[in-house]
Amino acid sequence: MSGDMSIRNLKLKNTSAVSETIGYVIIFGIMMSGIALVTLFGYPALLNQQQEANIRNMERNMIVLQSDVNALVYKSVPYKETTMQVSGGVLSVESPHDDKSLSIQVDGADVLNIPATANRFQFGSLSFKSDQGLPIISLFNGAVVKRDIGGSVMLSEPRWFFDDPTKTLVITLIQIDSPPNLVKSGICTIQMEIEPLAIDIAGTNTIIENYAPGVKTVYINYRDVQSDYFRAFENYFESKPYMEKEGADWKINNVQKLVIKAYKITVLGL
Amino acid sequence: MAWLNDEGQWIILMGFIISVGIFFLALLVNQSILVGQTTAEAVLDFPKSDIQDLRNEVWVIYSRYNNTPSEQDKVIRDIEVISLIKKNAVVNITPGMWRVHYFNGITNYTEVIYDANNTFFYFYY
């Protein structure tokens, strides 16, 4: 724009009510109210968003850890290490405890033989606790579960299965433990080591019970005193067509071969 | 306000365009990590070589122990137990019909490799 049509050549007809001070005050007022709005509403919303992003990030991290655990358990890898950024909470190892345990019964007798814990398998978990206390995201028995206000949800399922043609039920029990109690935030290097966990009289980690040609009913009792992941596991069992609820137990009918394997994953460091 | 110079407006415009572009690129990079990982895991999880080895082994059993059924049963039982303990997979081999069944909780595979009662010949190997 140049020449006669440019703004500097336009003549304003009447400028007697135009005040530079009022203009300045208006512009300044708009600016200040903008800053105030951002400080009052924008900043808390941003912080909230960040915390949510942290939790989402951690859900993803836990699924990465789950595939590490799967590599240890199902692919005979002896040791795994993963580095990740933990923010908005802390990562900790919960030692195995009777509060979260499982028993498996056939014909009213325990299949598992763990005398130290009254034949109940104790899980233990690797958990992320958010700064606000909830949600808690856990790697628990090979599953990723999330505990929030009012209940829990399973983000990724454990690899238990029932093979219909051979009527084989395969249960993998994964215990997570650490020598000292580990808690950490920030950049964590999760070092995991696997060893078989004795669950039968002979002291081996694999139980293969063959009932052929007959079939039996297997009862699974899952105990969660704090009800942390109870809902998640109830929903998981319920979603499986071969599982049926009976009282406090879950039963699986028509099992011809029962396979139970148990492993202990030791978290050496975070 | 005496002089309004609009010669440099394109610099600001370019600044806007580039920053929006970088924002979208950052979104893509953020997604690609997750996509790459899940794809790699899906490929790694698929027990391709396990199933191939099993099929191959069934052919070996068929050709080597076809005249000694008792030996055949022992070998088949060994394969079933080893795959259960080492690979956490249920394997079921039905001799005669040579049906192979493989299931590890995720991948379910069933195939009739060679049906001796069927006149149709299978050209697998």
Side-chain angles (χ1 to χ4, degrees):
Chain A
M1 287 210 258
S2 60
D4 293 342
M5 287 305 289
S6 70
I7 291 169
R8 65 197 138 95
N9 287 344
L10 285 174
K11 293 270 188 308
L12 288 172
K13 286 208 169 91
N14 193 352
T15 56
S16 50
V18 174
S19 158
E20 228 172 77
T21 317
I22 290 175
Y24 182 80
V25 165
I26 290 173
I27 296 294
F28 190 73
I30 291 171
M31 218 171 69
M32 286 317 275
S33 49
I35 292 172
L37 275 175
V38 166
T39 319
L40 271 174
F41 301 107
Y43 191 58
L46 199 74
L47 281 183
N48 242 357
Q49 195 73 25
Q50 198 173 8
Q51 181 64 10
E52 258 170 50
N54 281 336
I55 286 161
R56 252 203 318 276
N57 200 24
M58 213 48 222
E59 285 175 4
R60 218 185 287 169
N61 280 343
M62 277 295 180
I63 286 171
V64 170
L65 280 178
Q66 187 200 24
S67 61
D68 273 8
V69 166
N70 282 348
L72 290 167
V73 172
Y74 302 115
K75 290 189 182 136
S76 315
V77 180
Y79 175 82
K80 269 268 183 185
E81 193 175 279
T82 310
T83 303
M84 59 181 59
Q85 163 86 34
V86 177
S87 40
V90 288
L91 200 64
S92 64
V93 178
E94 252 176 64
S95 300
H97 194 272
D98 194 46
D99 283 356
K100 289 187 184 68
S101 60
L102 182 119
S103 77
I104 300 168
Q105 289 195 324
V106 174
D107 292 336
D110 285 316
V111 180
L112 302 176
N113 186 276
I114 317 167
T117 57
N119 295 341
R120 291 189 74 85
F121 179 85
Q122 304 182 343
F123 290 108
S125 66
L126 182 65
S127 304
F128 167 80
K129 280 189 186 72
S130 155
D131 281 336
Q132 280 103 0
L134 282 174
I136 302 169
I137 304 160
S138 267
L139 188 62
F140 182 81
N141 189 36
V144 179
V145 281
K146 184 182 177 186
R147 167 93 164 100
D148 214 329
I149 304 155
S152 54
V153 66
M154 191 170 279
L155 302 176
S156 185
E157 294 185 348
R159 216 183 272 185
W160 291 16
F161 63 95
F162 182 72
D163 182 45
D164 271 319
T166 57
K167 297 193 179 91
T168 308
L169 176 67
V170 180
I171 294 174
T172 318
L173 301 168
I174 302 166
Q175 185 179 70
I176 295 178
D177 201 358
S178 66
N181 279 327
L182 293 170
V183 180
K184 207 180 170 194
S185 187
I187 299 216
C188 297
T189 303
I190 296 118
Q191 306 164 318
M192 292 187 289
E193 182 191 54
I194 192 165
E195 54 186 310
L197 186 75
I199 49 165
D200 75 342
I201 300 166
T204 60
N205 75 322
T206 311
I207 292 175
I208 301 180
E209 301 260 2
N210 208 338
Y211 308 123
V215 288
K216 293 207 171 175
T217 303
V218 177
Y219 289 88
I220 293 173
N221 180 274
Y222 169 61
R223 181 194 290 164
D224 192 335
V225 175
Q226 288 92 1
S227 196
D228 277 342
Y229 316 124
F230 193 73
R231 185 39 55 194
F233 270 86
E234 284 283 285
N235 285 342
Y236 168 68
F237 291 151
E238 201 154 31
S239 72
K240 298 290 155 204
Y242 51 86
M243 291 235 188
E244 226 177 282
K245 194 168 173 124
E246 193 180 275
D249 294 348
W250 285 89
K251 68 170 184 178
I252 300 111
N253 291 316
N254 293 323
V255 176
Q256 200 163 66
K257 198 175 188 181
L258 174 64
V259 181
I260 306 168
K261 300 204 304 182
Y263 294 95
K264 179 181 175 180
I265 287 177
T266 310
V267 180
L268 299 169
L270 288 181
Chain B
M1 300 287 256
W3 196 275
L4 191 77
N5 188 352
D6 51 11
E7 299 279 296
Q9 274 187 4
W10 65 274
I11 297 179
I12 294 168
L13 194 67
M14 281 302 130
F16 272 123
I17 291 172
I18 289 170
S19 57
V20 167
I22 289 174
F23 177 76
F24 278 107
L25 282 178
L27 274 183
L28 277 183
V29 168
N30 198 21
Q31 291 298 309
S32 72
I33 298 166
L34 184 66
V35 171
Q37 181 154 20
T38 43
T39 315
E41 269 164 20
V43 170
L44 282 174
D45 266 344
F46 185 70
K48 184 190 100 187
S49 50
D50 289 4
I51 293 173
Q52 279 179 339
D53 290 352
L54 180 67
R55 293 181 78 250
N56 186 45
E57 208 52 47
V58 168
W59 275 100
V60 172
I61 300 166
Y62 169 70
S63 51
R64 197 171 292 170
Y65 303 106
N66 204 22
N67 298 321
T68 48
S70 62
E71 290 294 311
Q72 203 174 59
D73 280 353
K74 278 184 203 163
V75 176
I76 287 173
R77 217 172 310 132
D78 279 356
I79 290 175
E80 286 174 357
V81 170
I82 288 168
S83 79
L84 206 53
I85 290 174
K86 282 284 170 197
K87 301 279 180 184
N88 201 50
V90 172
V91 163
N92 186 256
I93 302 164
T94 318
M97 210 172 116
W98 297 107
R99 192 183 69 104
V100 171
H101 171 67
Y102 178 99
F103 187 41
N104 69 354
I106 299 166
T107 308
N108 198 343
Y109 183 84
T110 309
E111 182 194 3
V112 176
I113 291 185
Y114 175 74
D115 191 347
N117 300 319
N118 197 331
T119 46
F120 182 76
F121 197 75
Y122 296 82
F123 291 98
Y124 279 109
Y125 286 91

